[in-house]
Every structure is written in C-alpha cells, then in structure tokens.
Amino acid sequence: MLVLALFTTIGIRLVFLQTVSTPAYADGGLANRLAVVELPAPRGAIYDRTGAPLAHSVEARYVFADPTQVKDPVATARLLSPLLGVPASELAGKMRPRKLPGGGWSQFEYLARGVDIDRAKQIVALDLFGIGVHRDERREVPGGDLAANLIGFVSQDMNGLEGLEAKYDEVLEGKAGRKRYEVGQGDLAAPIPGGYSQTTPAQPGSSLELTIDRDLQFKTQRILSDGMARTRGSVGAAVVIEVGTGDVLAQASFPTYNAADPAKVNSPADREDAATSFIVDPGSIHKAITYGAALQEGVITPDTAFPVANTITKGDTTFRDTHPANGQKMSIPGMLAFSSNVGTIEIADKLGPDRLIDYQKRFGLGQPTGEGMPGEAGGRLLPVDQWSESSHGSVPIGHSVDATPLQMAAAYAAIANDGRYVQPHLIKNVIGPDGKKTPGADPVTRSVLSPANAAALRRMLEAVTTVDGPDGRATGLAAAVPGYRVAGKTGTGLRYDNGKLQPGEVGSFIGMAPAEKPRYVVAVFVWSPGGEGGAVAAPAFREIMGFTLRHYRVPPSATDRSPKFEVFPH
C-alpha cells in the first residue's frame, strides 16, 4: 500500500509538471539560453535645400577587446596598430587586464570606433584571441569645413555636441532596436530553430533639410576667407537672406574648422557661429533703423533737408562727421551717403528715445531671432531710464547698442521686404524615416514700415553706393555690384567679448539687390584688432552679392533708371 501510494503520488506529480507547470519551467531556464543583440538605428542626415548631404551617417564597425581573453597584448597591439591607426602602446594599454571599481575584471574595452567595413574584415581575418568587431556608425561630412560652424559635430557615441547636431539631437538620433533569441550552449551556441525569438525594430532618426544652398555657402565662405587673409587675429561673418521668405541661404564664419576633425582648432571659439554669437556695436548700419523710424513717424520725408553742423554735443561727448557739411543744407540721401552722425542725431532728437527703442524692437533687436542655432545671442538695448545725456547721441548712430550680424541682416531684410519683418530661419523641412517631409515652423512676421516708406528708405540707401561727384564720394562705392542697383549702408562699430571692449573696430556692410525690387540681402561683418575690417567688408559684399545674383539668374537692373541724388540742395 505504501509503495502504491508513493508511485501514485509520483504519477500525479509528473502529469502536473508536464501539463500545468510546463511553461513556467521552460521560462525558468530561458534567461540562461537568451542572446541579446542591439539593432543600431541610423542617425538622420542633414541636407542643404537641394538635397545634397552636408552630414550623414554611414555603416561602420567598432573594434573591441576582452582583456580577459587577450593572450599577448603587445603582439596583438602591433598587429592592430597599422589597421586602426592607433599607436601600439595605446592599444596594448587597453588590452591589459583591468579591475572594475565594483569588483571583477573588465571584459569589454573599445579599441576604435567608426572603422571602415573593409578594414574591419581584415581584422576579423586575423582571428585574434579576445578581439571582436561589431556594427557601428560613423558620421561623415563631405564638405569638411562647409557650413561646419552651423552643422557642428557629434561624439563617438553619435550624440550631438555642437551646432545643429546638438540643437536637434532628439530629432536626428534614432532609437535602437533589440533582438532577443534562444541559443544553444557551448559548441552549439547558435540560434535554436523554432526557439524563442523577439525583435523590436530599430527606428531611424529623422533628417533635416536646411534652407542653406551648398554652392552659395561654399562661395560665401571662400570670399570671406580670402578677404580675412588680409587681417590678423580677426573674426568675420557673412549672411545671405532671401527676401520675403526669411530663408538663410548662406551663413559663413571665420575662422572655421573641419567638422570631421573638430579637435584640430586653435581655440574652441573657432567653432562658434559668428553670425549668431558675435556681439557688436553695429555703428552706422544702425542708422537705417533711425531713418526708417523717422519716416514712419512722419518726422522726416524723402525730401527733408536742413543745415548740418560739423559737430554736435550731447552731455560730455562731442560727435563729429568725417565728411563735414560746414553748415550747408543737406538732404537725407546725402546724410546716408556720407554717414552723417550730426544729421542722424538731430533727426533722432525729433523722434525721441521711446519711439526709437520701439522701432529697434520691431526690427528685431534686443532678443534672439530664433533662427535655429543653439546659444544664439540676443544682444542688448539700452532702456530709456538708463540713458545718459550722451546716449541721445550714441544710440541713434548705433553705439550703446548690442546686436549680432544676423539680427542686423534681418532688419535690412525687413526694409527690402516692403517693411515687413520675417524671422530668419535655417530649418526648411524635417524628413521622417518614411521620407515624409514636415515643414519647419512658420516664421514670425510683423509689419514695421509701410511699403511706401520702405521703398523710400531703399531709394535713399542707394545713395551710399552711387554718390560720386564734386561734393564727395559716398562711403559704400566699393560695395557697388556692376549691372545691378544696390541699396545698403556701411558701418564702423566696436566689439565686446564677455562685456569687455576689444581693441580695433568692426567694419560692416549690409545691402540689398536689385534695389528696385530686392531679392537678397547680404551682410558682412569683419572685426580685426588693427581696424582693417572696413577695407574688407564692402568688397566682400560686392563679390558675395554678385555671385548670389548670378547664381539665381537674376536679370540685371536698368541702371540708367538709378536715382540721381543731390547731397547739398540749394
């Protein structure tokens, strides 16, 4: 009876195990039989407006070592060094046994990332103990320094570190997938047919389509670099904006760097985007804002003229004109052509500081444009309650004002766009992994000047590039583009770095063409300790604008219809 009872109990238990508890016991051993493989998700690319890649990812391999399995670190390192381009001593150091802080020995050390597939195959063929190869990703920037200050770069782990790569890291990065499957043990360590298998697909990152035109960006960078070669220790920026859309077609910085090798720079500052981080006193290019505000508020008309003295004193500061009028009656185009400080200050006195600051804000000064670059500076406007007596002279002519080249370019684009400000922007479309394009956010727009006043201001700004007669030569003749009417303004300002005034000057020119119906605005800013920026900015503008107009096949102007200006009307 006892034996019968024992066998009955065993029989019932076997039936229970084979029917009711089978899944639980099978799953209990599953963890020991599972292999997990990460499925990499490619990072999205960055394209120019034509679809040409500015930065994209390619499949590569990483090479790793298990120090517990490497038999001879020195000999292994000698074999790998020429294939990886890494010193043998450095490789050998990584392959030596290393104890982990929490106990145990390290079984994984990266030897190289982003290795070419062909080279990785050579390493596999060596069949070295403790050395493995696995799928990786490498970021390629075909243009080297092309738009590098905009694009930025990524870490070895494909995380955005600077520029648009950092700003839009969450958009660009993919979400890795995972495959878990059942494998045998020992010599049978291979997937088990019909065994457990679960795959979570990788989700590739989205791509960015920029407003940048690769060919125009290349030419703009080269023209800026060639001009800067005549200066020492200098910083430069050049921006090209399409009127009406706010699309930034080119945004160049000097110095620049190779985004494929971002560590090879004299200073991290070489990697900054000068157009959005370069803080300057804009100087005389700000006068267009003062005159625009005065036109809109009815303080002046295009026909206004009045006697202009050689100097004017505000508080403890005397402001002078470099082209003295000697008390003669001077026209508004003449004041712009010869960049009259005195005439501008007298007009600003009638306008008043409150209205001037209001228009500075309408033109986009005092806050970041929101173009899309990380860390964009907002500049600074001087509140009325902080004005000294001398501020009534300095602010209207562009001093005691902080702005970036991009802010000033956008302000002139508003004048070119019949008085309507359009937020400059870099992101044209976001392209999903499925190829579907989602347009970037609509740019902020607002009315600043009436179309009539904007047209009048453009006409008067043509004097800067055309007046050349017995009364003198305008300050912007070097910016004139043969065959096209150009409206613009020269400027000489100051540079501040971390609140400290820097030696030298910032020379600038911002203009639009064709002036009768502007298509593009180009801004060039050059700071140099020796003050040579003024000799670089206007000629660089002429070359960049000339190339832009030809590149987009804009018909020449009817230059015989260019306005004729009288500087000193009788």
Side-chain angles (χ1 to χ4, degrees):
M1 291 295 292
L2 181 61
V3 171
L4 183 59
L6 180 61
F7 275 100
T8 301
T9 303
I10 292 173
I12 294 172
R13 181 61 176 161
L14 285 172
V15 171
F16 182 81
L17 289 174
Q18 292 178 5
T19 56
V20 179
S21 301
T22 297
Y25 279 95
D27 290 347
L30 183 61
N32 297 326
R33 302 192 301 275
L34 282 184
V36 179
V37 175
E38 187 173 279
L39 305 176
R43 185 178 179 86
I46 299 177
Y47 301 105
D48 85 332
R49 67 189 296 113
T50 68
L54 300 176
H56 64 111
S57 296
V58 296
E59 185 179 344
R61 299 289 184 266
Y62 66 76
V63 180
F64 66 94
D66 178 351
T68 64
Q69 300 294 320
V70 177
K71 293 184 176 180
D72 188 340
V74 174
T76 303
R78 286 174 181 165
L79 290 171
L80 291 177
S81 178
L83 293 172
L84 297 180
V86 179
S89 58
E90 182 179 334
L91 292 174
K94 292 180 178 180
M95 286 186 272
R96 291 192 177 94
R98 180 174 66 88
K99 205 160 190 178
L100 298 173
W105 297 90
S106 171
Q107 294 180 312
F108 183 92
E109 296 289 339
Y110 279 119
L111 299 182
R113 303 290 302 272
V115 178
D116 290 339
I117 294 176
D118 289 342
R119 191 157 295 186
K121 288 179 179 178
Q122 296 178 47
I123 293 171
V124 171
L126 293 174
D127 196 20
L128 300 170
F129 285 100
I131 303 301
V133 172
H134 204 281
R135 178 168 174 161
D136 199 9
E137 189 178 353
R138 184 178 69 248
R139 201 66 165 167
E140 286 196 348
V141 280
D145 67 348
L146 184 68
N149 301 66
L150 293 177
I151 296 169
F153 57 92
V154 299
S155 67
Q156 283 192 335
D157 294 323
M158 303 301 285
N159 296 317
L161 296 181
E162 285 189 13
L164 296 175
E165 293 274 25
K167 173 80 172 183
Y168 296 95
D169 191 47
E170 292 185 0
V171 175
L172 293 164
E173 70 175 354
K175 187 175 181 181
R178 177 178 291 188
K179 182 177 182 179
R180 303 172 73 218
Y181 58 94
E182 204 171 353
V183 295
Q185 300 295 316
D187 294 337
L188 299 176
I192 298 176
Y196 175 87
S197 179
Q198 184 184 54
T199 301
T200 303
Q203 298 178 14
S206 296
S207 298
L208 297 178
E209 182 180 274
L210 306 185
T211 58
I212 294 295
D213 181 318
R214 180 183 63 173
D215 294 340
L216 181 57
Q217 177 75 25
F218 174 83
K219 190 66 174 180
T220 300
Q221 285 187 206
R222 291 300 168 264
I223 293 171
L224 182 64
S225 297
D226 290 346
M228 302 296 284
R230 302 197 294 270
T231 66
R232 292 185 178 181
S234 51
V235 176
V239 180
V240 183
I241 296 178
E242 185 177 54
V243 174
T245 66
D247 286 1
V248 178
L249 302 176
Q251 188 163 306
S253 298
F254 182 91
T256 186
Y257 70 103
N258 185 347
D261 192 4
K264 194 177 288 186
V265 290
N266 295 324
S267 163
D270 291 355
R271 300 195 297 256
E272 293 180 359
D273 171 54
T276 57
S277 65
F278 191 37
I279 301 293
V280 301
D281 258 7
S284 292
I285 53 173
H286 179 276
K287 290 174 182 175
I289 294 176
T290 303
Y291 285 87
L295 278 170
Q296 188 69 17
E297 293 298 312
V299 172
I300 60 172
T301 71
D303 299 322
T304 296
F306 54 85
V308 176
N310 293 341
T311 63
I312 187 171
T313 300
K314 295 291 181 181
D316 58 357
T317 304
T318 298
F319 298 89
R320 305 177 183 278
D321 278 351
T322 55
H323 191 290
N326 299 317
Q328 296 180 79
K329 184 188 291 185
M330 199 174 197
S331 66
I332 300 298
M335 295 177 198
L336 285 166
F338 296 148
S339 199
S340 172
N341 292 328
V342 176
T344 305
I345 293 169
E346 289 193 31
I347 290 171
D349 281 345
K350 298 176 183 178
L351 182 65
D354 289 311
R355 288 194 288 184
L356 179 56
I357 290 176
D358 179 43
Y359 277 89
Q360 286 177 325
K361 292 177 180 178
R362 292 191 199 183
F363 274 109
L365 305 191
Q367 61 181 356
T369 66
E371 175 201 37
M373 286 299 294
E376 181 186 1
R380 182 182 64 91
L381 298 178
L382 190 64
V384 175
D385 58 7
Q386 295 181 24
W387 281 37
S388 64
E389 284 300 316
S390 64
S391 299
H392 291 268
S394 62
V395 174
I397 62 174
H399 298 291
S400 302
V401 179
D402 293 342
T404 66
L406 180 63
Q407 286 176 319
M408 295 306 302
Y412 274 68
I415 299 169
N417 190 38
D418 285 336
R420 188 161 193 81
Y421 178 91
V422 179
Q423 177 189 24
H425 52 276
L426 284 168
I427 308 301
K428 190 174 184 66
N429 290 299
V430 176
I431 307 173
D434 58 356
K436 182 180 179 181
K437 291 186 178 183
T438 302
D442 291 336
V444 174
T445 65
R446 58 179 171 270
S447 178
V448 182
L449 304 176
S450 70
N453 284 327
L457 182 55
R458 289 197 301 269
R459 184 180 183 278
M460 294 189 295
L461 285 169
E462 285 191 72
V464 177
T465 62
T466 58
V467 170
D468 184 12
D471 296 323
R473 308 187 73 225
T475 58
L477 293 179
V481 179
Y484 294 90
R485 291 170 57 182
V486 175
K489 186 72 186 75
T490 53
T492 303
L494 304 172
R495 181 193 179 193
Y496 291 87
D497 190 8
N498 293 322
K500 295 181 180 179
L501 177 64
Q502 302 299 301
E505 295 177 337
V506 177
S508 58
F509 190 92
I510 308 180
M512 59 201 74
E516 64 273 21
K517 189 173 178 56
R519 293 274 303 274
Y520 307 101
V521 165
V522 173
V524 180
F525 284 69
V526 177
W527 168 77
S528 65
E532 306 95 340
V536 175
F541 166 88
R542 180 185 66 241
E543 290 189 57
I544 295 170
M545 180 61 87
F547 178 83
T548 302
L549 295 168
R550 293 190 301 272
H551 179 61
Y552 292 112
R553 299 181 180 180
V554 178
S557 301
T559 51
D560 58 339
R561 297 182 183 177
S562 298
K564 306 302 179 185
F565 299 102
E566 193 174 6
V567 177
F568 299 111
H570 300 294

